[in-house]
Amino acid sequence: MKKLLSLLLVATIITSTLCVSYFAFDNVDNLSNITTSEPTDKEIETSTISTSDEATPDEATPDEITTEPSSPITESSTIESSTEPSSSTTESSTIESSTEPSSSTTESSTIESSTEPSSSTTESSTIESSTEPTTTKPTDIKVSSIKLNTKNHTMYSNQYVQLKATVLPNNAYNKSVTWKSSNSKIAIVDKNGKVKALKVGNAIITATSTDGSNVSAQCKIKVVQRVTKIKLNKSIINLSKKGKTAKLKATVLPNNAYNKSVTWKANNTKVVTVDKKGKIKATTNKGATYVNAIAKDGSKKKAKLLVVVGPKVKKITLNKTSVTLNRGAKNRTFQLKKAIKNKNATYKGVSWYSSNKNVATVDKNGKVTIKHRGKVVITVKARDGSNKSAKCKVTVRQLVTKLSYNKATQKAEVYKNKTIKFAVTVVPSNANNKKLTYSSSNKKVATVNSKGIIKGIKAGTVTITAKAKDGSRKAVKLTVKVKNPPISDNTKLTSKQLKSESTLKRICKKFNDYFKSCGAVVEPKLKGTHQWYVENTSTYLDKEVSINDFYIQTLCLWIQEMSSDTLGNDGEWNGIKDMDELDKLLNSFIYRDKNGYPKYRKNLILNKKYNGLDWFVNYYSNRCGRDQLFIYIDYEKMNGQKDIQGNQEYLIKFYYDWQSNID
């Protein structure tokens, strides 16, 4: 035993010498580790001397003793002297001598000269001549690589995919990355690497380190087109009996759809079956069902057709073949009913169509709703592929929905013998029949013609009604007040109006004003014995006349009578000395109308050359030796005298006095 210990001691001295010599020719970082520790019983028993220079990577744990801890761990060889046990041993050559077992053993022989096992050894021997080792700061560890969970990804619009970035090394100080899309119109990515596809195209998503190393990784995103529509080569198929087949073809749109595959499915396999290639086979002699073509890309797009097995429809009819309707203010409806003549038809479903939906629409049950005036054809068609159909012609007439007039502009008053227009507005403007009828509630007050022209007949109130002729029963009424026109000298008056007291006063004033113009003095109180009067006014009141007409005609009568009286008494009138000359002159004043009524030439009568009143005033003034003649015209009732209308007759008297009995 003593010999063995001596040999071990000599080996230790030799080994130490060799290590020191080696250290002299190499740097500290590459020296092997010489640790003094106590071997275990097992190590002793095996008496193994290991000369290995490398440790197993998975088992080696470098250990350093420094006054200040450093973050990184070096791979250089270290010679340590420690009184503390190491947690592990190295794979490198070590001579250990110890009375205490170490926590772990090495794969090679170890002789330790320490009374206490070291806590750990390094992968290579190290001789430390300083209390402070060479260290690396944590911030100096940069990102060396980035790996994404996928490098290529195909997706549809509005789909999402989550990208994940793995940053190496694990102890990199800053592992954060930024995300960016090469084409944001195709795909976008958020700060967490979540990608959303927008439209068909390609985009590259890049994850880049933020520690300044500029390390990145990319994922190619391909956004592909979904199926938008599926078309079948047929809309309906008829199979006569069990066992009969037919082939369907599906066209997938658009042409650039990524996955154009479809699956085929029959709603009722007891009627037909369909294989993966679209071949249909009848499994019964009579029945109907739908066959579907469904897109496989998840778009849920599909197309279907009806398959009928058995007898087709032979004839279809409607309860009405033509309809004429009047459309009012609201939409009207009516029901059409179809009839399938052969009762054994397998499928009796039908479709309804309108040739002009602006005029009328029809629902799936044959209910027609009219919209506007016009013509439309409603068609019912069998859906079993027989192409049997029936039609109904519909004519829609637009009724009048309202009659109105503008209250701001419409006149509601009219003078007697005058007219106004009843301006009626027809609603709507496209009514088929806009004609109107008019009526008066009292034709004695006012009449109305077919054009809405209202004429006042006499003073009073009347209601004028306008009605639509299209059967809509729409009407509008106008209350009209008929008024007598204001009286002027030229207003045509009835006999009753002319002989009213107010009119007679006006006529007398007109006469008296004229006498003043002739040089006479008008004296209202004058009641002399000398007087002239109109004996019978009815002579020229058989028709309507004006005040001016009455005035002129009365002047003519007076002139005629005064001149005749003067000549009859061997006098002279205005230079005329006999009756023949007078008659000739008077005839020039008068002419007859087509009815034989006398008309007087007003301009001649009022001419000063022939004016009898002017001559009369001058004649009697000169005869009486006075400068002026006193004259007054008034009216008096003729007691007991009435005309054929029961109106009181009046006398218009002409008083004159040339004597001095007037104060």
Side-chain angles (χ1 to χ4, degrees):
M1 186 67 181
K2 289 182 179 179
K3 290 182 178 180
L4 179 60
L5 292 173
S6 296
L7 291 172
L8 291 172
L9 181 60
V10 172
T12 301
I13 293 171
I14 295 172
T15 303
S16 298
T17 304
L18 292 172
C19 289
V20 171
S21 298
Y22 180 80
F23 178 77
F25 295 96
D26 204 351
N27 61 60
V28 172
D29 292 337
N30 294 322
L31 296 179
S32 61
N33 184 21
I34 301 177
T35 307
T36 56
S37 61
E38 296 182 358
T40 64
D41 292 339
K42 186 176 179 180
E43 291 172 334
I44 294 172
E45 290 176 359
T46 56
S47 300
T48 303
I49 299 175
S50 177
T51 60
S52 174
D53 295 329
E54 294 181 358
T56 303
D58 295 335
E59 295 180 359
T61 303
D63 185 78
E64 299 179 357
I65 298 175
T66 61
T67 57
E68 295 181 6
S70 60
S71 299
I73 302 174
T74 63
E75 298 178 354
S76 61
S77 301
T78 307
I79 299 177
E80 298 181 349
S81 177
S82 175
T83 58
E84 298 296 325
S86 62
S87 60
S88 61
T89 59
T90 64
E91 298 176 358
S92 61
S93 301
T94 308
I95 301 175
E96 299 179 348
S97 177
S98 175
T99 58
E100 298 290 331
S102 63
S103 60
S104 62
T105 60
T106 63
E107 296 179 357
S108 61
S109 300
T110 305
I111 300 176
E112 298 183 353
S113 60
S114 175
T115 57
E116 299 291 331
S118 64
S119 61
S120 63
T121 60
T122 61
E123 295 179 358
S124 59
S125 299
T126 304
I127 298 176
E128 296 184 356
S129 60
S130 174
T131 58
E132 296 187 6
T134 301
T135 62
T136 304
K137 296 181 179 180
T139 56
D140 292 337
I141 301 177
K142 302 288 187 180
V143 174
S144 61
S145 66
I146 300 174
K147 293 183 179 180
L148 299 181
N149 56 330
T150 180
K151 293 183 177 181
N152 297 278
H153 190 74
T154 301
M155 56 197 304
Y156 295 108
S157 298
N158 295 318
Q159 280 191 329
Y160 293 86
V161 64
Q162 181 63 60
L163 297 181
K164 294 181 180 180
T166 301
V167 180
L168 297 175
N170 292 331
N171 62 342
Y173 180 74
N174 184 358
K175 292 185 177 182
S176 64
V177 297
T178 59
W179 299 89
K180 185 178 180 181
S181 172
S182 65
N183 193 338
S184 58
K185 294 182 179 180
I186 303 299
I188 57 176
V189 60
D190 66 10
K191 64 181 181 179
N192 299 314
K194 189 176 183 180
V195 180
K196 180 182 181 181
L198 300 179
K199 67 177 184 178
V200 175
N202 297 300
I204 297 175
I205 306 300
T206 303
T208 305
S209 62
T210 61
D211 66 345
S213 61
N214 292 323
V215 177
S216 64
Q218 294 180 334
C219 175
K220 295 181 179 179
I221 299 295
K222 183 178 182 181
V223 183
V224 295
Q225 178 65 53
R226 283 187 184 273
V227 174
T228 60
K229 189 176 182 180
I230 299 175
K231 290 184 177 180
L232 298 178
N233 59 328
K234 296 181 180 179
S235 61
I236 189 169
I237 290 179
N238 292 102
L239 300 175
S240 59
K241 60 182 179 179
K242 182 179 179 180
K244 293 293 183 180
T245 63
K247 186 70 169 65
L248 288 176
K249 182 181 179 181
T251 301
V252 177
L253 298 174
N255 294 329
N256 65 336
Y258 183 70
N259 184 359
K260 294 185 177 182
S261 301
V262 299
T263 58
W264 297 92
K265 182 181 179 182
N267 288 359
N268 190 349
T269 57
K270 293 181 179 181
V271 178
V272 296
T273 59
V274 58
D275 64 15
K276 62 181 181 180
K277 294 183 179 181
K279 184 178 180 180
I280 300 172
K281 184 177 181 180
T283 56
T284 184
N285 287 318
K286 188 175 182 180
T289 189
Y290 282 98
V291 172
N292 304 275
I294 306 168
K296 281 187 174 183
D297 68 344
S299 62
K300 298 182 180 181
K301 299 298 181 181
K302 67 178 181 179
K304 68 178 182 179
L305 83 160
L306 180 67
V307 181
V308 179
V309 182
K312 299 180 183 179
V313 172
K314 293 182 179 180
K315 188 177 182 180
I316 185 171
T317 60
L318 288 172
N319 59 327
K320 297 179 181 179
T321 58
S322 65
V323 176
T324 299
L325 295 171
N326 293 320
R327 182 184 180 274
K330 297 181 179 179
N331 292 336
R332 293 183 60 187
T333 63
F334 68 94
Q335 184 67 51
L336 288 177
K337 296 181 180 180
K338 54 90 174 172
I340 306 296
K341 291 302 180 181
N342 57 316
K343 296 181 179 180
N344 67 335
T346 300
Y347 186 72
K348 298 181 180 180
V350 297
S351 296
W352 296 86
Y353 306 94
S354 170
S355 64
N356 190 342
K357 293 182 179 180
N358 291 326
V359 176
T361 60
V362 60
D363 66 10
K364 63 181 181 180
N365 299 315
K367 184 179 181 181
V368 180
T369 301
I370 61 176
K371 300 291 187 180
H372 299 283
R373 60 171 287 185
K375 294 182 179 181
V376 63
V377 177
I378 304 298
T379 302
V380 60
K381 186 176 181 180
R383 293 172 56 191
D384 66 346
S386 63
N387 292 323
K388 300 299 181 181
S389 64
K391 298 181 179 184
C392 177
K393 296 180 180 180
V394 181
T395 300
V396 181
R397 298 183 301 186
Q398 177 63 61
L399 291 179
V400 173
T401 61
K402 185 180 180 182
L403 297 180
S404 64
Y405 62 89
N406 191 332
K407 294 182 179 180
T409 59
Q410 176 62 59
K411 294 181 178 179
E413 291 185 348
V414 62
Y415 288 123
K416 174 188 171 182
N417 295 324
K418 298 295 183 180
T419 61
I420 59 173
K421 171 74 174 175
F422 190 12
V424 179
T425 301
V426 179
V427 178
S429 59
N430 66 336
N432 283 74
N433 186 358
K434 295 183 180 180
K435 294 182 178 180
L436 305 174
T437 60
Y438 299 89
S439 62
S440 170
S441 63
N442 190 343
K443 293 182 180 180
K444 293 182 178 180
V445 176
T447 60
V448 59
N449 64 13
S450 60
K451 296 182 179 180
I453 304 300
I454 304 169
K455 183 179 182 180
I457 304 301
K458 70 175 184 178
T461 302
V462 65
T463 299
I464 305 298
T465 303
K467 291 183 179 180
K469 291 184 71 175
D470 65 349
S472 64
R473 298 182 180 180
K474 299 300 178 181
V476 63
K477 296 183 178 182
L478 175 68
T479 299
V480 178
K481 185 177 182 180
V482 181
K483 300 168 61 179
N484 288 319
I487 297 176
S488 67
D489 288 350
N490 293 311
T491 302
K492 299 294 183 181
L493 303 175
T494 64
S495 176
K496 183 178 180 180
Q497 290 176 317
L498 188 65
K499 289 184 283 187
S500 67
E501 291 193 22
S502 61
T503 304
L504 290 171
K505 287 182 179 180
R506 188 168 178 173
I507 294 173
C508 291
K509 183 178 182 305
K510 190 175 180 69
F511 284 135
N512 288 322
D513 290 342
Y514 182 73
F515 275 124
K516 286 183 179 180
S517 70
C518 295
V521 176
V522 177
E523 177 55 61
K525 297 180 180 180
L526 183 64
K527 295 289 183 182
T529 57
H530 302 84
Q531 52 187 268
W532 294 98
Y533 59 89
V534 180
E535 295 182 354
N536 190 358
T537 57
S538 63
T539 302
Y540 38 85
L541 292 179
D542 52 354
K543 296 184 70 176
E544 293 181 355
V545 296
S546 66
I547 293 175
N548 195 56
D549 291 336
F550 184 86
Y551 167 71
I552 296 298
Q553 293 178 24
T554 303
L555 285 178
C556 284
L557 291 174
W558 277 338
I559 292 171
Q560 182 179 4
E561 293 198 21
M562 286 189 296
S563 58
S564 298
D565 184 63
T566 302
L567 292 174
N569 292 323
D570 297 327
E572 181 179 326
W573 178 78
N574 205 27
I576 298 175
K577 297 180 179 180
D578 58 57
M579 296 295 293
D580 293 336
E581 291 183 27
L582 178 62
D583 291 338
K584 189 176 182 180
L585 176 64
L586 293 176
N587 288 333
S588 67
F589 292 172
I590 303 172
Y591 68 95
R592 303 281 176 176
D593 62 13
K594 62 181 181 179
N595 297 317
Y597 292 102
K599 299 293 183 181
Y600 300 92
R601 303 184 189 278
K602 180 173 67 173
N603 293 334
L604 288 177
I605 292 173
L606 297 179
N607 191 300
K608 289 290 184 180
K609 181 179 179 181
Y610 304 107
N611 191 314
L613 295 180
D614 186 50
W615 170 85
F616 183 78
V617 171
N618 292 325
Y619 175 80
Y620 279 99
S621 295
N622 295 327
R623 181 180 175 185
C624 299
R626 302 177 62 136
D627 294 335
Q628 294 179 322
L629 178 66
F630 292 85
I631 300 177
Y632 178 65
I633 295 181
D634 200 359
Y635 66 94
E636 294 181 2
K637 292 181 179 180
M638 295 178 62
N639 295 327
Q641 301 286 332
K642 292 185 177 181
D643 62 12
I644 55 175
Q645 297 179 344
N647 297 320
Q648 180 67 54
E649 282 285 350
Y650 291 85
L651 294 176
I652 297 180
K653 290 191 174 183
F654 169 39
Y655 304 97
Y656 65 95
D657 190 15
W658 62 90
Q659 299 180 5
S660 59
N661 59 351
I662 305 280
D663 296 330

